[in-house]
Amino acid sequence: APVLRGERTGYAELSHLSPDGDVRQLGVSLAPLRGADGAIEGASVIGRDITEFNRMLAARARSAALERAVLD
């Protein structure tokens, strides 16, 4: 895996099926954790639920498209 070679993987968006059956979108970042000697000792994973944010962006895009259609 890239993170085990010391590379940052950047950011990825993933879909996840939650236990209650909802599909959630997750934003995930992964980076290596190094010890005092510089050797890789683990990985840091930061994730957040971006489902509502993505829904808001989609609603804003629909609203802007409707506004353009009405005004044009």
Side-chain angles (χ1 to χ4, degrees):
V3 75
L4 296 178
R5 293 191 301 267
E7 303 170 19
R8 288 176 129 356
T9 61
Y11 177 79
E13 291 187 7
L14 312 168
S15 292
H16 171 73
L17 183 61
S18 66
D20 64 1
D22 276 349
V23 175
R24 309 298 293 180
Q25 284 92 38
L26 305 174
V28 181
S29 297
L30 186 63
L33 293 176
R34 296 183 184 272
D37 62 356
I40 297 170
E41 295 185 355
S44 169
V45 179
I46 299 171
R48 66 184 185 119
D49 186 337
I50 58 172
T51 306
E52 292 305 317
F53 179 75
N54 285 347
R55 286 181 184 157
M56 184 271 310
L57 289 178
R60 190 169 73 178
R62 285 190 305 273
S63 178
L66 179 59
E67 182 179 336
R68 282 191 304 275
V70 169
L71 296 176
D72 288 346

